[in-house]
Amino acid sequence: MVGVGVAGFAMALAISLALTPLVKKFAIQIGAMDVPDHRKVHTRVMPRMGGLAIYAAFTVTILLFLPWLPDSFLSDHDENLIRGLLTGGTLIVLLGALDDRFQLNAKLKFLVQIAAACIVVFGFDIKINLVNIPFGSAMQPMGDWLSIPLTILWIVGVTNAINLIDGLDGLAAGVSGIAIGTILVMAALMGQSSVILLSTVLLGGVVGFLHFNFHPAKIFMGDSGSLFLGFALATLSMLGFKQITVVSFVTPILIIGVPLSDTFFAIVRRWVQKKPIFAPDKGHLHHRLQQLGFSHRKTVLIIYGIAAFFGACAIVQSVATSTGMGNWVTFIVICVLMFLLQIGAEVIGIVDKTKRPVIDFFNRLFLRQQTNTRSK
């Protein structure tokens, strides 16, 4: 299995390295260019549509490998999800490529994303099946009335979460690569050979593109890349959890914790500021870090570190679940992460630059303790 994974990674890496410069020339020829404006960080016109190279590297490698795999290598569930990923992913890439060139309407993009998610759910019968009661042993089938919308929400939500963090050179590609690497480690620990293959191939495509995308970037991935990576991560995370439960579902959430938390804070920030939820702004995590004085490269590396921390938490939680301690470990991990996220959000001002309720609370406790100590 190790040999297959290495070969898949190497092939996807080579294809991505070879195709990205060609995609760059193609984007320039058809006018798929990213023009700077008041919201964007870059200061010069850049070609986008680089996601086509990632998609092609992944798809070509998988299609070449599938005929040579043993019959027992993939289960029926795995085969269905791979077909759903390739079919829905193709639709997503076409949507992203058209948006990179013509700047499509947001509502149209959202409807096509739902259609791609429906392909996975209805076309290939991939959905969240089971629900459990935390700290109990009860496990009940989830009705279609809940499992279908929940699965569609998960796919569409993750697809857009990756898209929203695509604001700096190498950011979305690197964070996605860390998430894919996390899935790869977990798959190796669980012996999920099919997930190992898909993860290594997708990681190879991302690493090859990142060679041209890290600061200073020569090409942007555009929506064709960020939407495809989000869609692939959403479906790939479900591949390793064939019977997804409330506890185990925390793991894929942790894997993509950076884009999901940034999306969550963006929604809260716009709600607090009484702005439309989908209104663009410059309050995202990478914007705030740069406003605090960090350079472009340091900002990206800091977010890489945060993504790696989330990935490590996901691995710990997954291992704990397999040993029967998943409920308590999940509870502790969630509590610690929620506290750290709140503190971090207040420090960098990702929601509001002036209101810091938790930090102010601890400051008052500290001052009160000092006052009591002096009075004694």
Side-chain angles (χ1 to χ4, degrees):
M1 184 59 240
V2 175
V4 174
V6 172
F9 176 86
M11 180 177 290
L13 176 66
I15 293 174
S16 183
L17 286 170
L19 286 183
T20 301
L22 300 179
V23 171
K24 177 183 176 181
K25 293 180 180 179
F26 175 70
I28 294 174
Q29 288 178 351
I30 66 172
M33 308 296 289
D34 198 319
V35 181
D37 59 29
H38 67 283
R39 287 194 306 109
K40 297 176 181 178
V41 176
H42 66 283
T43 56
R44 58 193 178 95
V45 178
M46 290 287 293
R48 49 191 175 192
M49 207 178 279
L52 292 180
I54 301 174
Y55 165 78
F58 175 76
T59 303
V60 170
T61 303
I62 290 298
L63 292 179
L64 288 176
F65 267 67
L66 283 179
W68 300 97
L69 296 177
D71 294 337
S72 59
F73 191 87
L74 298 175
S75 67
D76 292 340
H77 179 278
D78 294 342
E79 291 181 357
N80 277 345
L81 194 46
I82 291 172
R83 294 190 186 102
L85 170 56
L86 293 178
T87 306
T90 300
L91 178 59
I92 285 291
V93 168
L94 289 175
L95 169 69
L98 289 173
D99 185 61
D100 288 339
R101 175 59 184 87
F102 299 107
Q103 296 292 290
L104 302 179
N105 180 274
K107 292 181 179 178
L108 174 62
K109 291 166 60 178
F110 185 66
L111 289 175
V112 176
Q113 291 167 19
I114 293 177
C118 287
I119 288 175
V120 174
V121 174
F122 296 106
F124 298 93
D125 196 30
I126 301 299
K127 56 192 175 187
I128 300 167
N129 297 316
L130 302 177
V131 62
N132 74 332
I133 301 174
F135 301 100
S137 58
M139 185 79 70
Q140 298 295 332
M142 185 185 296
D144 286 347
W145 65 272
L146 181 58
S147 65
I148 289 175
L150 183 59
T151 306
I152 293 174
L153 178 64
W154 169 253
I155 295 174
V156 174
V158 176
T159 299
N160 282 283
I162 299 298
N163 187 39
L164 286 176
I165 66 166
D166 187 22
L168 294 179
D169 297 355
L171 182 56
V175 169
S176 298
I178 292 170
I180 297 165
T182 302
I183 294 175
L184 175 59
V185 172
M186 292 167 53
L189 293 174
M190 294 186 295
Q192 293 276 355
S193 55
S194 57
V195 186
I196 293 174
L197 174 61
L198 292 172
S199 299
T200 52
V201 171
L202 185 57
L203 186 60
V206 170
V207 172
F209 173 76
L210 193 57
H211 174 72
F212 301 95
N213 184 237
F214 196 72
H215 185 71
K218 300 177 179 65
I219 183 174
F220 292 161
M221 68 166 58
D223 277 14
S224 58
S226 59
L227 292 178
F228 173 69
L229 285 178
F231 185 85
L233 278 170
T235 51
L236 187 58
S237 63
M238 290 196 295
L239 183 59
F241 304 95
K242 299 177 182 179
Q243 293 180 327
I244 300 175
T245 67
V246 169
V247 171
S248 64
F249 201 60
V250 172
T251 305
I253 291 176
L254 291 174
I255 291 171
I256 53 171
V258 168
L260 285 185
S261 59
D262 191 39
T263 302
F264 170 76
F265 284 124
I267 293 173
V268 174
R269 178 176 62 252
R270 292 161 188 170
W271 179 75
V272 170
Q273 297 175 355
K274 297 182 180 179
K275 295 181 179 180
I277 291 179
F278 295 103
D281 60 22
K282 297 193 71 171
H284 289 284
L285 175 60
H286 57 277
H287 292 132
R288 290 299 302 138
L289 287 174
Q290 286 198 302
Q291 291 165 16
L292 290 175
F294 292 103
S295 67
H296 192 126
R297 187 182 293 262
K298 285 184 178 180
T299 297
V300 172
L301 292 176
I302 288 171
I303 298 177
Y304 282 2
I306 298 172
F309 175 73
F310 271 103
C313 290
I315 293 172
V316 170
Q317 193 271 338
S318 177
V319 171
T321 299
S322 64
T323 60
M325 298 186 299
N327 287 319
W328 285 107
V329 172
T330 299
F331 177 74
I332 294 171
V333 167
I334 290 176
C335 289
V336 171
L337 284 179
M338 288 181 65
F339 177 76
L340 293 177
L341 281 174
Q342 179 62 32
I343 294 295
E346 292 182 13
V347 168
I348 67 174
I350 197 171
V351 174
D352 193 297
K353 298 179 183 179
T354 59
K355 297 179 181 178
R356 299 182 174 185
V358 176
I359 293 178
D360 290 342
F361 171 75
F362 282 106
N363 283 336
R364 288 193 297 269
L365 285 180
F366 179 72
L367 290 174
R368 185 179 302 174
Q369 181 65 31
Q370 281 190 325
T371 302
N372 292 337
T373 302
R374 290 171 183 172
S375 63
K376 292 179 180 180

